[in-house]
Amino acid sequence: MRVHPLRAAGRLRDRLRRFVVDAPVGQGIVRAVALIALGAGVVVLLGSVLWVGGRAVATVVALSQAQGQLEQFRYRISASQTPSSTALQEDVRARTAFAAGAASDPLWRAAEGVPGIGPNLRGVREVSQVLDGLVAAAKPMAVAAEGLSLNSLKPSKGIDIEPLKRMPGPMRTLNAALVRGSAEADRVDTRDLAGPLVDQVVQLRQGLAAAKPISAEVTKVMPVLYSALGGSGRRYYLLMFQNNAEERASGGNPAVIAMLKVYKGRLSLDQQLNSSEFPRPFAEPVRTFGAQYQKIYGDYVGTYVTNTTFTPDFPTTARLVRAMWQRTAGGPVDGVISFDPVALSYLLRATGPIQLKGGDVITADNAVSYLLSDVYAKYSNVKVQNQIFASAAASIFSAVTKGQGGIAKYLEQLPLMLDQQRLKAFSIRESEQSLLMDSPLGTMLPADNAEKTVLGVYNNDDATSKMSYYLDDTIRVDASTCSATPRYTVTTTVTNTLDEQRAEVTSDFVLAHQKRIPFGGDRQWVQLYGPVGARLVDVFIDGRKVVWGTDIQYALNTNPDATGVDDRRPSVQGRLYGRPVGTVSIKIPMQQTVTVRGVFEGGTDPSETVGVSHTPRVRDVPVTIAKERCG
C-alpha cells in the first residue's frame, strides 16, 4: 500500500518530536545531537557534527535558562520580594559562561566557515560573549546590592541607604561594561543570519541602547546619593508646587512651597507656605544677577515669590526661592525640588485615587482639571484654594512615602516628567549641583550646543489671572544649517480657547482684570531664546517687526517707539546664559491666536541636531522641527 509523501512526512515529524521534545532534558539534547548527525549524512564528520551540534543545542538551552531566571527575578522584585542578587548573578553567570565557552570551541569556530549554518554559529557566539561579559561585570554590583528590594526603598519605612555607600565603584564597572557590550552588539553582522537570530540581536541592541543613558545617569549620581538622603546629616529641601493655570517659563506660579526633611533615608513633610504668606513685595530684590538680567526681568522676579519662575534657568529660580523662604520662615535650606499638577497626575497613575481633606477625590484623569480649573469654580476664597493645593501636594506625598501603589510604578512615571521638564532640582552643594546640571533635572536650557542646538520658547502670564488653563501653543523651528552661518526661525502660535459662553460663567478670579485686556482675553510675555553664541536678528508679532526698548520696566525704557510701550510693556532684547533673548508682550482675545516669530543666526559649535525647550503647559505642546536639505 502506498503512503502519500506528505502523510509520511507528517508521521516522521511526529516521531522526531517524540524522540527529541518528549524526552527528558538531558536525553532530549543527546537525541537532538544524534538527529543533527544523522541529517548530516557524512560518517567521516560524525564526531565533529555531534560535537558542534551538541554545543549549539546546549548553548541555546543555557541562554534560554538564563533569560528565564532574569524574568523570574524581575517578577519577584516587582512583587516587593527580596531575591538574592548574588545568587542570581552566580546562577546566570554559570549559564552564560557555559554558553560563551561552548561557542568558543575550536570545532565551533571552524564550523563558522560552513556556508549556511556558519554565520548563525558566529552570531550565537558573539551574542553569547556579549551577554557573558555583561553578567560577569555585574558581580560587584550584585554583591553590593545584596538584600535590597523595591520594598526596602519605601520611604515610609525609611529608605535603606547603607548599601549606597558601597555601590559607586561597582556601578562604574557595570556602566563601562554596558558601553562596551553595546559597541560589541552593534558590531554583530546580521546580513546572513536567520530571522529569529536577527530579532534577538536587534532586541539586544535596543535593550543596551535604552540601558546606557539610565546607567550613565545612575553612575553620576551614585557617589552623592548617600549624603543627599541624609546619610551624613539632616537635609532640608523645599518642595515647590508650580501652578500651570498662571503659567511661567518653568511651569507656573509657585502656589505652595513646603519643607521636606530627610534624615538617614526617612522623609517627613514639615512647614508649608502658600504664595500669599510671603511678603508682596519684598522691600528690595532678595538676589541680583547682573545688568542684563535686570534689563530682561526687572525687579519683579526678585521681589515676588510668584515671579521667581519667570526664568527658564532653574538654579536662578531656586536661589531666589531659597532666599525668600529663609527671610520669611528661616532655617537651613539644602536644595529645591519643583513639580506641577501634571507631574502629580502622573504620580496618581501609581498611587491610585487620593482623597483630600475636604472630601474631594483626585485621580490621574481629573487631577489637572480639578487643581487648575474646578477649584476656582468651586471655591472663591483664595485661602481655601491654596489650602486645597497644599492638601493635594501633602496627600500625594503621604501616599508616595507610604509606598501606595509600589515604587516600581513611580519609577515608570519619571521619564515622562523629565522629558516634559516638569521635575527639576537644585542643590547648594557644588558636587551635587554639577551632577544635576549634567542631567534633565538641573535646568531647562543646556549650557552649550554640543549634543543638541536648543532654542527656548517660554510664556509668562502677565494678567494676574488663571487664564493659562485655556491657552494652547504650537511651536515650529525651521533650521537652515547648510551655510557657514546657520539660521534658525522659531515660530510660536498661542491660541485662547475660551469662548464667550464659558467666559460668562467663569470666576472673576480666573479672568484677566487689568485695563487694556479685553473680556475673556489674556496677556503674557513671550520669551525667545536662541542657541548658545547666536545672535537675534529680528522678532515679529503677527507679521509686524518688533522695535526694541531699552528696559522691560516702563519707567526705565528710553525708546518711546518700542513695541508694547502703549500698553506699558516695552519689548526688550539682551543676552542671558550665553544666549540671545527677546521678550515681547502679547494680548490674546477669546477664540483668537497670536503668532510670534523670531530669527536667530550663528551659534558656538552648533550641533546638527536641533531641539526646543518650552514652558510645560497644561496640555501637550506640538513641536515641529524642519531642517533644510543640503546638497
Side-chain angles (χ1 to χ4, degrees), residues 112-402:
E112 290 181 8
V114 177
I117 193 173
N120 292 287
L121 292 174
R122 172 187 48 76
V124 170
R125 173 178 57 79
E126 291 175 341
V127 168
S128 301
Q129 290 172 341
V130 170
L131 293 174
D132 186 52
L134 291 170
V135 176
K139 183 174 183 177
M141 179 56 77
V143 173
E146 184 64 30
L148 276 180
S149 70
L150 293 181
N151 207 36
S152 68
L153 297 177
K154 287 184 178 180
S156 58
K157 297 182 178 181
I159 300 171
D160 183 7
I161 63 175
E162 286 305 309
L164 296 178
K165 284 183 177 180
R166 54 181 184 262
M167 284 186 176
M171 190 64 223
R172 285 193 297 271
T173 299
L174 182 57
N175 182 63
L178 276 171
V179 173
R180 186 169 56 251
S182 180
E184 292 170 352
D186 288 342
R187 287 195 294 269
V188 175
D189 188 351
T190 60
R191 285 174 296 181
D192 297 321
L193 302 186
L197 186 52
V198 172
D199 293 341
Q200 293 300 313
V201 173
V202 170
Q203 289 177 21
L204 177 62
R205 289 173 176 170
Q206 291 174 342
L208 293 176
K212 276 198 304 181
I214 299 172
S215 174
E217 291 299 323
V218 173
T219 301
K220 290 176 188 175
V221 303
M222 191 64 75
V224 302
L225 277 181
Y226 179 79
S227 296
L229 290 171
S232 303
R234 296 184 185 277
R235 289 292 185 94
Y236 301 86
Y237 300 111
L238 293 179
L239 298 182
M240 184 167 67
F241 180 82
Q242 297 198 42
N243 183 348
N244 310 83
E246 187 177 348
E247 66 188 358
R248 299 286 188 265
S250 71
N253 165 5
V256 177
I257 302 175
M259 175 60 72
L260 174 67
K261 294 183 177 180
V262 184
Y263 182 59
K264 304 264 183 213
R266 285 191 169 274
L267 283 64
S268 60
L269 204 58
D270 198 55
Q271 183 179 8
Q272 297 186 46
L273 296 178
N274 63 59
S275 57
S276 64
E277 295 177 281
F278 289 83
R280 296 183 294 172
F282 283 84
E284 59 184 17
V286 296
R287 292 286 301 265
T288 57
F289 301 95
Q292 284 289 303
Y293 184 89
Q294 188 71 17
K295 174 185 176 182
I296 300 298
Y297 291 110
D299 290 335
Y300 310 114
V301 175
T303 54
Y304 290 87
V305 71
T306 52
N307 294 338
T308 56
T309 47
F310 259 54
T311 169
D313 186 67
F314 190 69
T316 298
T317 293
R319 292 184 177 103
L320 288 169
V321 170
R322 179 175 182 263
M324 291 182 180
W325 178 278
Q326 290 182 315
R327 293 193 185 190
T328 305
V333 177
D334 294 293
V336 181
I337 301 169
S338 173
F339 54 96
D340 65 13
V342 180
L344 287 183
S345 75
Y346 297 155
L347 283 179
L348 286 166
R349 295 176 182 177
T351 65
I354 297 291
Q355 185 171 16
L356 306 183
K357 288 183 179 179
D360 290 344
V361 176
I362 57 174
T363 68
D365 294 328
N366 74 3
V368 173
S369 59
Y370 176 84
L371 293 171
L372 300 182
S373 177
D374 300 348
V375 162
Y376 303 117
K378 191 173 183 180
Y379 305 100
S380 58
N381 189 300
V382 176
K383 289 186 177 180
V384 173
Q385 295 167 0
N386 287 330
Q387 288 171 357
I388 290 174
F389 295 139
S391 175
S395 297
I396 294 176
F397 175 82
S398 176
V400 170
T401 55
K402 290 178 181 177

